[in-house]
Amino acid sequence: MGVIYKEELFRTPDILRRVLRESTDSLLGDAKRLLFVGCGTSLYIGAQLERLCRAVGREAAALDAVEVLEHPAEKSGGEVAVYISRSGRSRETVLAAEELRRRGVAGFYLGCTPASPLDTLCDSARVIPWAEETLVLESFSYYAQLLLGAVCCGLPVGGDIPPLVSDALSRGEEAGRAIVRDRGIPSRIISLASGFYVPLHREMMLKDGEITQLPVESWGNLEFRHGPRSWADETTLIHMIPGTLTRAWDVRVAEELISYGCPLLYYGGDAPEGAMCADPAAPRETTAEVLAAAAFHTAVAAEIGLARGTSPERLRHVVHNVGNL
């Protein structure tokens, strides 16, 4: 994995600069309600886009492609379905697109593969083939598709995103090295978040597992108090993003975990004593903050993966199973 993977990861800012040249798509910009549809990692991109839409007052929902197939619903009017798939051929998502098309719902493909089944099936598309990485492990395609979705939907994004992500990657790399040097390789990684940030940490859970090959979990900050916290000890690495309304309670959870000896990365500028600050340095609940937080988190995982000697040969089963997503 080593150098090749990190070269891909650190290309992310340049990829995002290219995405920022894109413009709003009229189909999405005019939609009364947006439905983000996908499976696996693409579903979590859609769920985060849903929350970004709601943060600025736009109606949106995220649907698992399988849910569309198993629980038919009538069209309510003014909806546009956004199908997210890097390959454009994820079977569940293609079937969901065919089903929603039969119901009269307009479709938009967001991905990296031109002339793919979803590209040809949808009414409109925005395809960025130059944002598909060589390795199946998440590097820049997640960031590119999330940012492209925000741009196409007309959500506010800032031109300072590339340098912000570059800085987050460097700080995450340093943090990961420090954790391995001072604490050793973690035995488990747990990501905790509240509300708006839950999809981000669901995605990071998947990537932590792929990159580090360690046991990983993702929980809500307050949900974690009801039993899972008994798994945490000084060998458990914790990522925590506090909620806006629940911050006081979330900090109490963080302080308890720190008292157990857990190394804890806190995504905010007001980290409790004993936590390592992972502040994205971006406004709350924005595209920029999500991208910077993801970059920091992924860079930490990359350092742990390198320390464990994770290699592409060990990850062939991952490539086989998720390479078509």
Side-chain angles (χ1 to χ4, degrees):
M1 181 177 70
V3 175
I4 296 175
Y5 177 66
K6 290 188 70 174
E7 284 176 356
E8 282 202 347
L9 181 59
F10 276 81
R11 283 185 61 198
T12 301
D14 289 334
I15 295 294
L16 296 182
R17 286 187 183 92
R18 292 187 66 176
V19 175
L20 286 170
R21 298 171 192 163
E22 300 287 330
S23 59
T24 301
D25 183 273
S26 59
L27 181 64
L28 302 187
D30 296 338
K32 179 180 178 182
R33 184 168 181 253
L34 294 166
L35 302 177
F36 296 101
V37 182
C39 59
T41 184
S42 297
L43 174 62
Y44 296 138
I45 293 174
Q48 197 63 65
L49 284 169
E50 172 203 344
R51 283 159 171 76
L52 286 166
C53 284
R54 291 187 175 186
V56 296
R58 291 204 64 183
E59 289 190 37
L63 299 174
D64 190 318
V66 174
E67 183 182 349
V68 173
L69 299 173
E70 293 185 347
H71 302 285
E74 295 300 320
K75 176 186 175 185
S76 62
E79 295 174 323
V80 175
V82 180
Y83 303 103
I84 305 172
S85 169
R86 184 175 54 187
S87 70
R89 61 178 183 269
S90 301
R91 185 60 178 160
E92 303 97 314
T93 307
V94 172
L95 291 173
E98 292 173 346
E99 173 61 27
L100 288 176
R101 187 178 181 86
R102 282 192 290 270
R103 299 180 206 169
V105 178
F108 180 92
Y109 169 51
L110 174 65
C112 301
T113 312
S116 61
L118 283 173
D119 188 19
T120 57
L121 183 64
C122 289
D123 301 278
S124 183
R126 198 66 64 86
V127 182
I128 46 174
W130 37 266
E132 183 168 359
E133 64 278 308
T134 303
L135 297 176
V136 71
L137 292 178
E138 178 268 324
S139 47
F140 50 71
S141 72
Y142 168 82
Y143 306 90
Q145 290 179 100
L146 181 69
L147 180 57
L148 180 63
V151 170
C152 289
C153 292
L155 302 180
V157 297
D160 60 342
I161 285 177
L164 185 69
V165 167
S166 179
D167 176 68
L169 286 169
S170 296
R171 290 189 296 106
E173 183 181 45
E174 292 173 4
R177 288 176 180 172
I179 290 166
V180 171
R181 182 190 67 235
D182 300 337
R183 301 275 195 148
I185 297 172
S187 64
R188 181 190 303 266
I189 301 175
I190 298 176
S191 294
L192 304 178
S194 290
F196 176 89
Y197 304 97
V198 168
L200 167 64
H201 266 190
R202 291 285 191 268
E203 169 68 11
M204 293 299 103
M205 174 186 68
L206 296 180
K207 299 315 165 189
D208 279 344
E210 289 176 2
I211 295 168
T212 71
Q213 297 285 282
L214 288 171
V216 297
E217 295 98 24
S218 177
W219 301 88
N221 287 327
L222 302 184
E223 175 187 33
F224 190 67
R225 299 175 304 171
H226 294 279
R229 66 180 176 177
S230 63
W231 303 334
D233 60 21
E234 66 276 1
T235 69
T236 305
L237 174 61
I238 306 289
H239 291 267
M240 174 180 276
I241 304 182
T244 300
L245 298 179
T246 61
R247 183 192 168 280
W249 294 278
D250 295 345
V251 167
R252 290 176 62 182
V253 174
E255 291 171 341
E256 181 177 351
L257 290 169
I258 292 168
S259 76
Y260 297 163
C262 298
L264 190 145
L265 289 161
Y266 185 88
Y267 290 68
D270 50 356
E273 185 176 355
M276 294 173 281
C277 183
D279 185 12
R284 293 276 289 181
E285 300 189 356
T286 61
T287 303
E289 185 195 28
V290 171
L291 292 171
F296 184 96
H297 194 134
T298 308
V300 171
E303 290 303 315
I304 294 171
L306 287 170
R308 294 200 72 224
T310 306
S311 66
E313 287 71 27
R314 291 183 60 189
L315 298 173
R316 283 177 181 167
H317 62 290
V318 177
V319 175
H320 174 74
N321 284 298
V322 306
N324 67 337
L325 296 181

